[in-house]
Amino acid sequence: MRRVGWLVGLTFLLPAGCAPAGQERVREYNADGLHLFAHGNYAHAAETFEAALALQPGDPDLLYNAARSHDRAGRAARAEELYNACLRHDANHAASRHGLAALMVRQGRRDEAVRATEEWLARAPRLSGPYALDGWLWHDAGDLPRAQARLQQALDLDPRDGHALVELALVYEALQRPERALVLYERALEQTPNQPEVAQRLQRLQAQGVKRPRPD
């Protein structure tokens, strides 16, 4: 597992005059979409999130959830369209930035992904998100020291950055430092429990007898 992704919760900001029944329907669609995604039914999850978007257009988290589902279902063109729509509403939506960059890399568009990440870093140097994404790109390119440095910068800015926690754990695994990876996986799951791929990584390390590092 080199790429870890997850769906995000929703903030319900409905247009003025939207009936409570509409809000409840969006909640139902979202819950159904999360359930379908968790069980690997990505195509139907995408359709369900799209139905929610019809009731609440422009919601960044719904746009991301739909994009992620289309991405997993192999519908790259629609996924990219929705990732970009999300970023038009929220330019700092880290999950969409990561999803779009990963899609570009898979399509052989690494230079485009790097350029977009550098532009994000220039615009938002005090946010952890662009450093975490840059760290992922360096890890994907095989440069573990630069990846580690970037991811640590992200965590210095925000110790709770989920992308940085998971990606740095993956780097530590690659560096044969599983005890540090274990701690980071634990921290990531404490704040976002619904990450089955991360939970599997943690359980595998525990099954191998990996323990927390001893205090210095």
Side-chain angles (χ1 to χ4, degrees):
M1 180 187 70
R2 270 289 297 112
R3 179 76 188 102
V4 177
W6 52 85
L7 297 186
V8 295
L10 298 179
T11 301
F12 289 94
L13 300 175
L14 296 180
C18 184
Q23 183 175 2
E24 182 58 32
R25 193 63 177 151
V26 171
R27 292 182 187 277
E28 291 173 358
Y29 278 134
N30 184 59
D32 288 345
L34 293 171
H35 177 80
L36 289 165
F37 188 97
H39 288 80
N41 197 340
Y42 305 123
H44 284 140
E47 293 170 3
T48 303
F49 289 125
E50 294 259 21
L53 279 170
L55 294 172
Q56 188 167 313
D59 183 285
D61 289 342
L62 276 177
L63 286 163
Y64 167 74
N65 286 350
R68 181 74 178 153
S69 300
H70 280 295
D71 204 349
R72 283 291 187 95
R75 301 167 179 166
R78 180 59 176 159
E80 183 168 355
E81 180 183 352
L82 289 166
Y83 284 136
N84 281 318
C86 173
L87 294 173
R88 285 194 295 273
H89 288 276
D90 179 1
N92 295 318
H93 198 283
S96 275
R97 291 277 180 188
H98 278 255
L100 182 57
L103 184 153
M104 289 176 175
V105 169
R106 291 197 307 271
Q107 293 182 335
R109 300 157 57 194
R110 169 176 291 278
D111 289 348
E112 190 176 344
V114 169
R115 185 166 58 252
T117 302
E118 290 174 347
E119 291 171 356
W120 189 25
L121 270 166
R123 289 198 309 270
R126 295 186 180 182
L127 294 181
S128 62
Y131 295 92
L133 180 52
D134 199 45
W136 178 82
L137 286 165
W138 282 116
H139 187 186
D140 190 72
D143 192 330
L144 296 179
R146 293 186 77 165
Q148 182 182 359
R150 272 306 201 202
L151 293 162
Q152 190 57 60
Q153 281 182 284
L155 290 175
D156 288 343
L157 288 165
D158 181 4
R160 295 174 57 83
D161 187 303
H163 289 104
L165 287 169
V166 173
E167 190 61 29
L168 186 54
L170 292 168
V171 168
Y172 276 131
E173 283 204 69
L175 291 170
Q176 303 301 313
R177 301 178 70 182
E179 70 289 344
R180 294 196 175 275
L182 181 142
V183 171
L184 291 167
Y185 288 139
E186 287 179 340
R187 285 172 57 187
L189 289 169
E190 283 173 4
Q191 61 188 54
T192 309
N194 187 25
Q195 297 185 71
E197 295 172 351
V198 176
Q200 289 171 11
R201 284 256 172 189
L202 176 61
Q203 290 164 9
R204 180 180 55 76
L205 291 178
Q206 292 171 332
Q208 292 171 355
V210 176
K211 306 293 184 183
R212 285 170 159 268
R214 294 180 179 179
D216 294 332

Short mmCIF file of all heavy atoms in Angstrom, two decimals, residues 125-154:
data_model
loop_
_atom_site.label_atom_id
_atom_site.label_comp_id
_atom_site.label_asym_id
_atom_site.label_seq_id
_atom_site.Cartn_x
_atom_site.Cartn_y
_atom_site.Cartn_z
N PRO A 125 2.28 28.88 2.53
CA PRO A 125 3.47 28.34 3.19
C PRO A 125 3.29 28.05 4.67
O PRO A 125 4.16 27.40 5.27
CB PRO A 125 4.51 29.45 2.97
CG PRO A 125 3.70 30.70 2.85
CD PRO A 125 2.44 30.30 2.14
N ARG A 126 2.19 28.53 5.27
CA ARG A 126 1.98 28.28 6.69
C ARG A 126 1.00 27.14 6.95
O ARG A 126 0.67 26.86 8.10
CB ARG A 126 1.48 29.57 7.37
CG ARG A 126 2.52 30.68 7.34
CD ARG A 126 2.08 31.89 8.13
NE ARG A 126 3.08 32.95 8.10
CZ ARG A 126 2.97 34.10 8.74
NH1 ARG A 126 1.87 34.36 9.46
NH2 ARG A 126 3.93 35.00 8.66
N LEU A 127 0.53 26.50 5.90
CA LEU A 127 -0.35 25.34 6.04
C LEU A 127 0.48 24.06 5.96
O LEU A 127 1.46 23.99 5.22
CB LEU A 127 -1.42 25.32 4.95
CG LEU A 127 -2.46 26.44 4.99
CD1 LEU A 127 -3.46 26.25 3.85
CD2 LEU A 127 -3.18 26.48 6.33
N SER A 128 0.06 23.04 6.67
CA SER A 128 0.78 21.77 6.64
C SER A 128 0.51 20.98 5.36
O SER A 128 1.37 20.20 4.92
CB SER A 128 0.38 20.92 7.86
OG SER A 128 -1.02 20.62 7.82
N GLY A 129 -0.67 21.17 4.77
CA GLY A 129 -1.09 20.36 3.64
C GLY A 129 -0.11 20.30 2.48
O GLY A 129 0.22 19.20 2.00
N PRO A 130 0.36 21.43 1.97
CA PRO A 130 1.29 21.35 0.83
C PRO A 130 2.60 20.67 1.15
O PRO A 130 3.18 20.00 0.28
CB PRO A 130 1.49 22.83 0.44
CG PRO A 130 1.00 23.64 1.57
CD PRO A 130 -0.03 22.82 2.27
N TYR A 131 3.09 20.78 2.38
CA TYR A 131 4.31 20.09 2.76
C TYR A 131 4.08 18.57 2.80
O TYR A 131 4.94 17.80 2.37
CB TYR A 131 4.80 20.58 4.13
CG TYR A 131 5.22 22.02 4.14
CD1 TYR A 131 4.31 23.03 4.48
CD2 TYR A 131 6.52 22.40 3.81
CE1 TYR A 131 4.68 24.36 4.47
CE2 TYR A 131 6.90 23.74 3.80
CZ TYR A 131 5.97 24.71 4.14
OH TYR A 131 6.34 26.04 4.12
N ALA A 132 2.90 18.17 3.30
CA ALA A 132 2.58 16.75 3.33
C ALA A 132 2.49 16.18 1.92
O ALA A 132 2.98 15.08 1.64
CB ALA A 132 1.26 16.53 4.08
N LEU A 133 1.87 16.93 1.02
CA LEU A 133 1.75 16.45 -0.35
C LEU A 133 3.11 16.40 -1.03
O LEU A 133 3.42 15.45 -1.76
CB LEU A 133 0.79 17.34 -1.13
CG LEU A 133 0.56 16.96 -2.60
CD1 LEU A 133 0.17 15.49 -2.75
CD2 LEU A 133 -0.50 17.86 -3.21
N ASP A 134 3.94 17.40 -0.79
CA ASP A 134 5.28 17.39 -1.37
C ASP A 134 6.07 16.20 -0.84
O ASP A 134 6.83 15.55 -1.58
CB ASP A 134 6.00 18.70 -1.06
CG ASP A 134 7.18 18.95 -1.98
OD1 ASP A 134 7.03 18.75 -3.21
OD2 ASP A 134 8.25 19.33 -1.48
N GLY A 135 5.88 15.89 0.44
CA GLY A 135 6.53 14.72 1.02
C GLY A 135 6.08 13.44 0.34
O GLY A 135 6.88 12.54 0.09
N TRP A 136 4.78 13.34 0.06
CA TRP A 136 4.28 12.16 -0.65
C TRP A 136 4.91 12.03 -2.03
O TRP A 136 5.31 10.94 -2.44
CB TRP A 136 2.76 12.24 -0.78
CG TRP A 136 2.22 11.07 -1.55
CD1 TRP A 136 1.97 9.82 -1.07
CD2 TRP A 136 1.90 11.03 -2.95
NE1 TRP A 136 1.52 9.00 -2.08
CE2 TRP A 136 1.47 9.72 -3.24
CE3 TRP A 136 1.95 11.97 -3.98
CZ2 TRP A 136 1.09 9.33 -4.52
CZ3 TRP A 136 1.57 11.58 -5.25
CH2 TRP A 136 1.14 10.28 -5.51
N LEU A 137 5.04 13.15 -2.73
CA LEU A 137 5.64 13.12 -4.06
C LEU A 137 7.10 12.67 -4.00
O LEU A 137 7.56 11.89 -4.84
CB LEU A 137 5.53 14.49 -4.72
CG LEU A 137 4.13 14.87 -5.22
CD1 LEU A 137 4.05 16.36 -5.51
CD2 LEU A 137 3.76 14.06 -6.46
N TRP A 138 7.85 13.15 -3.00
CA TRP A 138 9.24 12.74 -2.87
C TRP A 138 9.33 11.26 -2.51
O TRP A 138 10.20 10.54 -3.00
CB TRP A 138 9.96 13.59 -1.83
CG TRP A 138 10.36 14.94 -2.32
CD1 TRP A 138 9.91 16.15 -1.88
CD2 TRP A 138 11.28 15.22 -3.39
NE1 TRP A 138 10.48 17.17 -2.60
CE2 TRP A 138 11.33 16.64 -3.53
CE3 TRP A 138 12.06 14.44 -4.23
CZ2 TRP A 138 12.14 17.26 -4.48
CZ3 TRP A 138 12.87 15.06 -5.18
CH2 TRP A 138 12.90 16.45 -5.29
N HIS A 139 8.43 10.79 -1.65
CA HIS A 139 8.42 9.36 -1.31
C HIS A 139 8.11 8.53 -2.55
O HIS A 139 8.77 7.53 -2.83
CB HIS A 139 7.37 9.10 -0.22
CG HIS A 139 7.39 7.70 0.31
ND1 HIS A 139 6.45 7.24 1.20
CD2 HIS A 139 8.23 6.65 0.05
CE1 HIS A 139 6.71 5.97 1.48
NE2 HIS A 139 7.78 5.58 0.80
N ASP A 140 7.13 8.97 -3.31
CA ASP A 140 6.76 8.24 -4.52
C ASP A 140 7.92 8.20 -5.52
O ASP A 140 8.08 7.24 -6.27
CB ASP A 140 5.54 8.88 -5.17
CG ASP A 140 4.95 8.05 -6.28
OD1 ASP A 140 4.35 7.00 -5.99
OD2 ASP A 140 5.11 8.43 -7.47
N ALA A 141 8.75 9.24 -5.50
CA ALA A 141 9.91 9.29 -6.39
C ALA A 141 11.09 8.50 -5.83
O ALA A 141 12.12 8.37 -6.51
CB ALA A 141 10.33 10.74 -6.62
N GLY A 142 10.98 8.00 -4.60
CA GLY A 142 12.03 7.18 -4.02
C GLY A 142 13.06 7.93 -3.20
O GLY A 142 14.05 7.33 -2.77
N ASP A 143 12.84 9.22 -2.97
CA ASP A 143 13.80 10.02 -2.18
C ASP A 143 13.29 10.08 -0.74
O ASP A 143 12.59 11.03 -0.35
CB ASP A 143 13.93 11.42 -2.78
CG ASP A 143 15.11 12.19 -2.20
OD1 ASP A 143 15.45 11.95 -1.02
OD2 ASP A 143 15.67 13.05 -2.91
N LEU A 144 13.67 9.09 0.06
CA LEU A 144 13.15 8.99 1.43
C LEU A 144 13.62 10.12 2.34
O LEU A 144 12.82 10.65 3.12
CB LEU A 144 13.52 7.64 2.03
CG LEU A 144 12.91 6.41 1.33
CD1 LEU A 144 13.38 5.14 2.01
CD2 LEU A 144 11.38 6.49 1.35
N PRO A 145 14.90 10.55 2.30
CA PRO A 145 15.32 11.65 3.18
C PRO A 145 14.55 12.94 2.92
O PRO A 145 14.14 13.62 3.86
CB PRO A 145 16.81 11.80 2.87
CG PRO A 145 17.22 10.44 2.39
CD PRO A 145 16.06 9.94 1.60
N ARG A 146 14.35 13.30 1.65
CA ARG A 146 13.61 14.53 1.35
C ARG A 146 12.14 14.37 1.73
O ARG A 146 11.51 15.32 2.21
CB ARG A 146 13.77 14.89 -0.12
CG ARG A 146 15.19 15.29 -0.49
CD ARG A 146 15.33 15.77 -1.91
NE ARG A 146 14.84 17.14 -2.07
CZ ARG A 146 15.10 17.90 -3.12
NH1 ARG A 146 15.84 17.42 -4.11
NH2 ARG A 146 14.64 19.13 -3.20
N ALA A 147 11.60 13.19 1.52
CA ALA A 147 10.21 12.94 1.93
C ALA A 147 10.07 13.10 3.44
O ALA A 147 9.15 13.77 3.93
CB ALA A 147 9.78 11.53 1.51
N GLN A 148 10.99 12.50 4.20
CA GLN A 148 10.95 12.59 5.65
C GLN A 148 11.02 14.04 6.11
O GLN A 148 10.27 14.47 7.01
CB GLN A 148 12.09 11.78 6.26
CG GLN A 148 12.09 11.77 7.79
CD GLN A 148 13.26 10.98 8.34
OE1 GLN A 148 14.08 10.42 7.60
NE2 GLN A 148 13.37 10.94 9.66
N ALA A 149 11.90 14.81 5.52
CA ALA A 149 12.07 16.21 5.92
C ALA A 149 10.80 17.01 5.66
O ALA A 149 10.37 17.80 6.51
CB ALA A 149 13.25 16.82 5.17
N ARG A 150 10.21 16.83 4.49
CA ARG A 150 9.00 17.57 4.15
C ARG A 150 7.84 17.18 5.08
O ARG A 150 7.07 18.05 5.54
CB ARG A 150 8.59 17.29 2.72
CG ARG A 150 9.22 18.20 1.68
CD ARG A 150 9.01 19.66 1.99
NE ARG A 150 9.17 20.50 0.83
CZ ARG A 150 9.45 21.78 0.88
NH1 ARG A 150 9.63 22.37 2.05
NH2 ARG A 150 9.56 22.51 -0.22
N LEU A 151 7.70 15.89 5.35
CA LEU A 151 6.60 15.43 6.20
C LEU A 151 6.78 15.91 7.63
O LEU A 151 5.80 16.23 8.31
CB LEU A 151 6.49 13.91 6.12
CG LEU A 151 6.06 13.40 4.74
CD1 LEU A 151 6.40 11.93 4.58
CD2 LEU A 151 4.57 13.65 4.53
N GLN A 152 8.02 15.98 8.08
CA GLN A 152 8.25 16.51 9.42
C GLN A 152 7.91 18.00 9.47
O GLN A 152 7.38 18.49 10.48
CB GLN A 152 9.70 16.28 9.84
CG GLN A 152 9.96 16.59 11.31
CD GLN A 152 9.06 15.78 12.23
OE1 GLN A 152 9.11 14.56 12.22
NE2 GLN A 152 8.23 16.46 13.02
N GLN A 153 8.20 18.72 8.39
CA GLN A 153 7.78 20.13 8.33
C GLN A 153 6.26 20.25 8.45
O GLN A 153 5.76 21.14 9.14
CB GLN A 153 8.23 20.74 7.00
CG GLN A 153 9.69 21.15 6.93
CD GLN A 153 10.02 21.79 5.59
OE1 GLN A 153 10.15 21.11 4.57
NE2 GLN A 153 10.16 23.10 5.58
N ALA A 154 5.55 19.37 7.79
CA ALA A 154 4.09 19.40 7.86
C ALA A 154 3.63 19.18 9.30
O ALA A 154 2.74 19.91 9.79
CB ALA A 154 3.50 18.33 6.95
#
